[in-house]
Amino acid sequence: MSGVSDLERWKLKRLIKSLEAARGSGTSMISLAIPPKQQISQVVSMLTEEFGNASNIKSRVNRQSVLSAITSAQHRLKLYSRTPPNGLVVYCGTILTDDGKEKLVNIDFEPFKPVSTKLYLCDSRFHLDPLAGLLEDNTKFGFIVIDGKGSLYGQLSGNTRETLHQFPVELPKKHGRGGQSSMRFGRIRLEKRQNYVRKVAEKATQLFITNNAINVTGLILAGSAEFKEELEKSDVFDPRLRSKVIQLVDVAYGGENGFSEAITLSRKYLDNVKVVQEQELVTKFFDEIARNTGKISYGIDDIISALEDGAVETLIVWENLVAWRVEFQDAEETKTVRFLRSEQEQECVNAVDKVTGAQLEVVSKEPLVDWLAEAYTNFGTSLEIIGDSAPEATAFINGFGGIGGLLRWKREEFDIQESDSEDYFDENDPDDEYAEFF
């Protein structure tokens, strides 16, 4: 897929969610957004001036918190000799944890898209408008509007449309002029139609394939006659583009009016592209089960084992999976890692070594999804984080715990028919809500 990956968007959503909940005392939380063209030196000078102004705050506690946050921001900026190509976002300050304790937060990163807003605010909360703007969907969809009068190539990204190219055509009508035999006229007419379709297909390749890669998420073929069907079935239409065709749409007009009508009629298909992709992915998981290939794994323990073996080709995880990766250590500082489901979280309290019975201390604890999002490349797998909009996804979440994998090979020690998991499905049981997918 071209553009920003779903994983990058998911990470940003998680960050926004955590920062939204953060609160501080006084005005000790700094939100700083630097657009690509703004110089780091200008921001450093501004923070130096703000530091001087903050020194005059009457409340000693608030003054120290603000000065500390500004100092942290200054230290972060020293890590950059120049503003990154997409700009820079910095969040610094002292926040209050759930148990009332103070915690210093320092976050700086270059976003995956250029920052368009310059921002500096010192408040009791973080201001996230610059990040929310980055989540606007810029997925690109291509449009080909073709009829007997000409063709138009367009592109839709979010709410922005662009006409990439258009050209007219003059084709013979169904009835020829006097002096020509009907067979000869028919051959000429067919030849010109074929040449027209060929030209449309070749131009589509030029516009929608860049550096041998498709530059749109999907294609809509629109038109008022049968040309769109002829184009899709034509041997000269690039197979890579054919695989991206989402829908064929009947429109009453050609040109710009046809482009507008095609956008209106295809909205429901475009909005569901992500859902359709998730449906296809989970259906593939179910198909492997139905064919009893043994090339699937599910459940936290089995997935971790398969990852460590390098057997997982595609890892599928529900975005709201409640599970944890917890690192413990004993009195001799020997560390162990456990992966705990939500109902096992209590094991973090008064944890003991299962072999020696020694008391264990929690060193770190993070959501399993967050850890997988950072570590999945270490296991040579691809990661797909899914929602729960598609019925297939809901069945996967309820039936398989929201975590599963498509394997490169069958792992002999894992046989789904012999699994003792409480979540094991029965495809013959009508009460199993995911049995319908087999």
Side-chain angles (χ1 to χ4, degrees), residues 184-230:
R184 180 171 181 272
F185 176 78
R187 287 196 302 269
I188 294 174
R189 181 173 180 272
L190 178 60
E191 181 180 342
K192 289 194 174 183
R193 286 176 66 96
Q194 290 174 339
N195 289 338
Y196 173 47
V197 171
R198 177 182 296 276
K199 182 178 180 181
V200 173
E202 291 174 349
K203 195 64 182 179
T205 301
Q206 295 174 16
L207 293 172
F208 297 125
I209 295 183
T210 305
N211 297 326
N212 209 35
I214 299 174
N215 57 32
V216 291
T217 301
L219 272 177
I220 300 291
L221 304 185
S224 57
E226 67 275 9
F227 279 108
K228 57 185 178 296
E229 287 84 3
E230 291 183 25

Side-chain angles (χ1 to χ4, degrees), residues 312-369:
V312 181
E313 184 173 19
T314 304
L315 178 60
I316 309 170
V317 184
W318 179 36
E319 61 184 359
N320 293 322
L321 176 69
V322 181
W324 306 91
R325 180 187 184 273
V326 186
E327 187 174 2
F328 298 91
Q329 73 175 16
D330 58 19
E332 298 179 355
E333 297 187 353
T334 301
K335 295 182 178 180
T336 57
V337 173
R338 294 181 188 175
F339 298 91
L340 306 178
R341 296 184 297 275
S342 57
E343 63 271 18
Q344 298 173 309
E345 190 177 355
Q346 189 61 28
E347 292 185 19
C348 294
V349 182
N350 298 323
V352 295
D353 187 285
K354 295 180 179 179
V355 177
T356 64
Q359 191 76 26
L360 297 177
E361 175 189 359
V362 175
V363 178
S364 64
K365 175 186 175 185
E366 64 178 320
L368 177 59
V369 186

Side-chain angles (χ1 to χ4, degrees), residues 143 161 222 249-267:
F143 285 76
R161 55 177 278 176
V249 178
D250 289 318
V251 294
Y253 309 96
E256 293 290 347
N257 290 336
F259 186 17
S260 298
E261 188 178 2
I263 291 174
T264 301
L265 294 175
S266 60
R267 277 292 184 187

Side-chain angles (χ1 to χ4, degrees), residues 370-389:
D370 291 10
W371 178 76
L372 288 172
E374 297 298 329
Y376 75 97
T377 55
N378 298 334
F379 301 104
T381 185
S382 63
L383 175 62
E384 298 290 343
I385 297 179
I386 66 171
D388 53 11
S389 298

